[in-house]
Amino acid sequence: MFNLLSLVIGGFALCGAILAFFPFLGWMNWAIVPLALMGAGFGIVSKADSGRRLNIFVLVVGIFRLIIGGGLF
């Protein structure tokens, strides 16, 4: 059950991360990174690892976009 919840959260976060790659929408990553972190937390609790992997991927993409956009560091 937690893996399904993690996948749903990861799907929403991934859609948001794709939108946040467009210029002037990089600020969305400030909401996407905590959402993906919450989804990864649910993925850690579950037995399957697909939800956790999806959310970790979204975390990496979101943090990378924040770094190249100058919003982090």
Side-chain angles (χ1 to χ4, degrees):
M1 185 67 186
F2 284 117
N3 190 43
L4 180 62
L5 183 61
S6 178
L7 283 170
V8 169
I9 292 171
F12 284 128
L14 183 62
C15 291
I18 290 170
L19 283 175
F21 255 93
F22 290 114
F24 302 113
L25 293 177
W27 57 268
M28 289 176 56
N29 284 308
W30 287 106
I32 291 166
V33 168
L35 183 67
L37 190 62
M38 184 178 65
F42 284 120
I44 289 171
V45 175
S46 71
K47 291 182 181 179
D49 61 345
S50 57
R52 181 179 62 236
R53 287 184 182 178
L54 174 64
N55 283 295
I56 289 173
F57 173 73
V58 173
L59 273 170
V60 169
V61 168
I63 291 172
F64 174 73
R65 175 62 171 95
L66 282 173
I67 288 172
I68 66 171
L72 193 63
F73 299 117

